[in-house]
Amino acid sequence: MSFIPIPADCDFTLANIPFGVFSTATNAAPRPCTAVGAHVLDLSILSSTVFPQVLKMDSAAKICESLRSTTLNAFASLGKEARVAVRNAVLEVTKNGSQWQGEVEKAMVRMADAKMHLPMEIGDYTDFYAGKNHAFNIGTLFRGPANALQPNYIHLPVGYHGRASTVVVSGTPIKRPLGQTCPPTNATPNFDQCQKLDIELELACYVALPSEMGTPVDIEEAESHIFGYSLMNDWSARDIQAWEYVPLGPFNAKNFGTTVGAWIVTDEALEGFRTAAIENSAETLPYLREERRRGKGVFDMELEVLVKPTGGNDFSKLFTVNAKNLLFSFPQMIAHHTITGCAMRTGDLLGSGTISGEDKTSVGSFLEATQNGKEDVDIGGVKRKWLEDGDEVLLRGHAGSGEGRVGFGECAGTILPANWGRWAKVQGQQKA
Amino acid sequence: MSFIPIPADCDFTLANIPFGVFSTATNAAPRPCTAVGAHVLDLSILSSTVFPQVLKMDSAAKICESLRSTTLNAFASLGKEARVAVRNAVLEVTKNGSQWQGEVEKAMVRMADAKMHLPMEIGDYTDFYAGKNHAFNIGTLFRGPANALQPNYIHLPVGYHGRASTVVVSGTPIKRPLGQTCPPTNATPNFDQCQKLDIELELACYVALPSEMGTPVDIEEAESHIFGYSLMNDWSARDIQAWEYVPLGPFNAKNFGTTVGAWIVTDEALEGFRTAAIENSAETLPYLREERRRGKGVFDMELEVLVKPTGGNDFSKLFTVNAKNLLFSFPQMIAHHTITGCAMRTGDLLGSGTISGEDKTSVGSFLEATQNGKEDVDIGGVKRKWLEDGDEVLLRGHAGSGEGRVGFGECAGTILPANWGRWAKVQGQQKA
Ligand SMILES: [Ca+2]
Ligand SMILES: [Ca+2]
Ligand SMILES: [Mg+2]
Ligand SMILES: [Mg+2]
Ligand code: NI
């Protein structure tokens, strides 16, 4: 129990204690924070006032210094011990009757007054494709169910390198991309605004401990390299992707923007919600076999996609998906990613791939829900095949309930119109 | 003519003035430099001594400050005017009879005493596939000449996002990667050391001026976003690639290491060597049409691949390729990369893709030269299908000759053996 009020159905209970980076109108410097109820706690303040007295360990000064930074990278690089110590310190100083209440209140900011920033400086961003139902749905759409999954799919976590420069925090608007598309009936490509703008509902993790180039991370140690988890929306331009992706994979269809939630939820908070991943029909190679977490590699969390159509007043829930629908765990992704000797740096971002369940309403993309634009989805009475300008998308996700609820907060983004007028002129085309 | 001696056949004439970052045994701090003859000139020293007096412009103090940094990012972000001013200042203070000779000599370090570093902090690394002959050679190998190029190939510069964490400077050893491979005769994949370790001979450019997310870079302005050019070796694990790359492209086959040359050669130095790219049979869309550089989009430079086989005494020249063998120019790559609104940051690295000519000795990879391991190449009497442990690879490249020669210096790397013993044990396999 805390002297900080925690509203009902709040993602930020005392069971959570996520990490983020915020600033305020009166102090524009981004700084680390946690969330309790409807408040942000300024960890840069606490690390100068109460933490030096509460953290009883040799590394206390170093931990406090890491929390007076503009990102979480320095703190994350200190690993699990520091993370757990700060978590416990937050719980101690915010509890009812805490001797530190006065100091903590000086570090409290109403969430509505906090501007959230990208929580980490991301060196590299990798997106996997471990949502087996999603991969099966997509494969079925384009190649039929018999050939839906490629032969490699069950043996390794398929992934590709993404674009770090356009990873943005929840709330950042996403401008509709321009590019080349080439419908099957065309002899040559069109220049156009993306007509098949989509989302991808994903979980992501951030790297805490780096690994050296040339040194693979052992599967049993991979979890210790993770700082925590976040929601991610891997916006996707399906028409651009269909034309460009052979033979080197998605490129411009993805690099215009990827939105991450503002809050990083730790393993400590999610420990009680571990469950089994989708069973793999293949016996994976030993470097991918995680004994320690056998049957507990992923998280039993409810993820949701909500959309408020342009001009509408309300968000409607479109899809609900359980986060456990992955064939590979994040530690398996890290073990695979580094088996070549690829280096990981603190702050690297790894996406799970789109997560879908087994039926039509438990999907993570419009591509699946509309069968590549052949059917409509209904958003509170408004019909959509793909996202339109002005549509607002909200991802949410949580585990547990009541005082034990642990959630990510929101991962939100609104579609802005493309600069079509200017580029149509460059193209010598009429404005559409 | 300079008071600094310039040996015959030197890449670093007064026509060049490339930029790099170095340190020395007595001063371990990385700092910007240029190269003249067999010497490195410490630009951090010159920016504190002679440049404040020689640079006659309002931004002189800012330029000097940018040269007292650990990378070239701050300097590059100042754009062409600053770059040209420093180039001209170097030429002025190093000429015969220069009043600054005494000060310049204090900034001179023998190249043999300079340890070179990665010249820029690389935010994102993208690798294109614009070497049309290479793409045709590879396509022919796997799909026959009629279907060698995919339909999109001539319409857009095909590319994929690469891994920035393992981009290393010339001279850094490259450890043979481990991973999954699956020969066609296998039912399930092997865990193995890479058996088809290859090079890719590429040019690369670094981004100087950033561009905002949501704002495409106009093709006519794209060149102004480039800081300069470098050699690049995109080490490739062909057996890992063959198994993993469907459907999302190369991933682990590439992320174990990419080597760049230590020196960035500017547009100013290469201006006289511009020539026409490979003629495109397609009329490209207007956003990719560069009028200003029509017929002069690429560089007429001789690129070479040399190898010293393990245990050998000498490098043998294996391949010689002209750098003009590209279907798209770097400005076209930037215009395409950003047409979606993808943001560019100062220091971003763009590879051209492997460059090959039209015959068997003018190729940029073993994959082409050995027809995917079916034939041998002869390296001074030693036979190779792929790289072996201990082999040393050297890329070189230059344009012009004598006092007008402009070159990149070396892009070198030696293959270290994989940690096979340890991982064979993890795998429960016998050591091979
Ligand atoms: Ca994705
Ligand atoms: Ca390449
Ligand atoms: Mg994306
Ligand atoms: Mg590479
Ligand atoms: Ni619930």
Side-chain angles (χ1 to χ4, degrees), chain A residues 121-124 126 128-129 150-152 155-166 168 173-175 177-180 187-191 213-218 240 243-252 255-257 285-288 336-337 339-345 348 419 422-423 426-427, chain B residues 121-124 126 128-129 150-152 155-166 168 173-175 177-180 187-191 213-218 240 243-252 255-257 285-288 336-337 339-345 348 419 422-423 426-427:
Chain A
E121 188 187 340
I122 299 166
D124 279 287
T126 299
F128 284 91
Y129 193 53
Q150 303 287 351
N152 58 16
H155 295 286
L156 55 83
V158 169
Y160 64 101
H161 302 118
R163 181 79 189 177
S165 71
T166 52
V168 294
I174 297 293
K175 198 181 280 183
L178 302 168
Q180 289 195 25
T188 57
N190 300 330
F191 181 83
M213 180 170 164
T215 305
V217 175
D218 189 285
I240 293 172
W243 170 235
E244 76 172 1
Y245 89 104
V246 175
L248 300 183
F251 178 57
N252 270 2
N255 64 21
F256 60 94
L285 284 162
Y287 81 97
L288 292 174
H336 181 67
H337 203 322
I339 190 64
T340 57
C342 183
M344 290 278 152
R345 293 179 290 187
D348 284 348
N419 294 331
R422 160 163 165 57
W423 287 94
V426 167
Q427 286 295 123
Chain B
E121 187 186 342
I122 299 165
D124 278 288
T126 299
F128 284 91
Y129 193 53
Q150 303 287 351
N152 59 16
H155 296 286
L156 55 82
V158 170
Y160 64 101
H161 302 119
R163 181 80 189 175
S165 70
T166 52
V168 294
I174 298 293
K175 198 181 281 184
L178 303 167
Q180 290 195 23
T188 56
N190 300 329
F191 182 82
M213 181 168 161
T215 305
V217 175
D218 189 285
I240 293 172
W243 170 235
E244 76 172 358
Y245 90 105
V246 176
L248 300 183
F251 178 58
N252 271 2
N255 64 22
F256 61 94
L285 284 163
Y287 81 97
L288 292 174
H336 181 66
H337 203 322
I339 191 64
T340 57
C342 182
M344 291 278 152
R345 293 180 290 189
D348 284 349
N419 294 331
R422 160 163 165 56
W423 287 92
V426 168
Q427 286 295 123

Side-chain angles (χ1 to χ4, degrees), chain A residues 10 20 73 85 95 195 231 251 257 287:
Chain A
C10 180
N73 291 53
K95 70 177 181 224
Q195 305 283 355
L231 285 172
F251 178 57
Y287 81 97

Side-chain angles (χ1 to χ4, degrees), chain B residues 127-128 160 200 202 234 254 353-354:
Chain B
D127 197 22
F128 284 91
Y160 64 101
E200 292 195 336
E202 304 196 23
D234 176 24
K254 299 285 189 173
T354 314

Side-chain angles (χ1 to χ4, degrees), chain A residues 10 33 36 80 106 207 242 293 360 366 390 413:
Chain A
C10 180
C33 62
V36 177
K80 186 179 179 97
K106 289 181 199 156
V207 170
R293 292 297 197 184
K360 225 187 198 176
F366 281 74

Side-chain angles (χ1 to χ4, degrees), chain A residues 79-198:
Chain A
K80 186 179 179 97
E81 196 196 20
R83 201 169 65 230
V84 170
V86 170
R87 174 186 177 81
N88 290 338
V90 169
L91 290 173
E92 182 179 338
V93 302
T94 58
K95 70 177 181 224
N96 273 331
S98 160
Q99 64 176 127
W100 310 103
Q101 179 163 349
E103 295 296 341
V104 170
E105 284 171 349
K106 289 181 199 156
M108 280 170 66
V109 174
R110 283 183 311 167
M111 226 172 240
D113 298 331
K115 176 178 156 66
M116 301 305 295
H117 297 264
L118 207 56
M120 301 197 77
E121 188 187 340
I122 299 166
D124 279 287
Y125 152 47
T126 299
D127 196 20
F128 284 91
Y129 193 53
K132 189 188 176 193
N133 299 320
H134 169 76
F136 182 80
N137 291 344
I138 302 300
T140 301
L141 205 49
F142 293 109
R143 289 181 302 273
N147 303 302
L149 298 178
Q150 303 287 351
N152 58 16
Y153 188 81
I154 57 176
H155 295 286
L156 55 83
V158 169
Y160 64 101
H161 302 118
R163 181 79 189 177
S165 71
T166 52
V167 177
V168 294
V169 75
S170 177
T172 309
I174 297 293
K175 198 181 280 183
R176 180 179 300 276
L178 302 168
Q180 289 195 25
T181 61
C182 196
T185 50
N186 270 39
T188 57
N190 300 330
F191 181 83
D192 202 353
Q193 314 180 51
C194 171
Q195 305 283 355
K196 293 186 170 184
L197 187 53
D198 200 357

Side-chain angles (χ1 to χ4, degrees), chain B residues 267-286:
Chain B
D267 252 324
E268 291 73 56
L270 291 173
E271 184 65 38
F273 306 106
R274 287 189 164 273
T275 189
I278 293 174
E279 203 180 343
N280 196 333
S281 59
E283 189 183 26
T284 50
L285 284 163

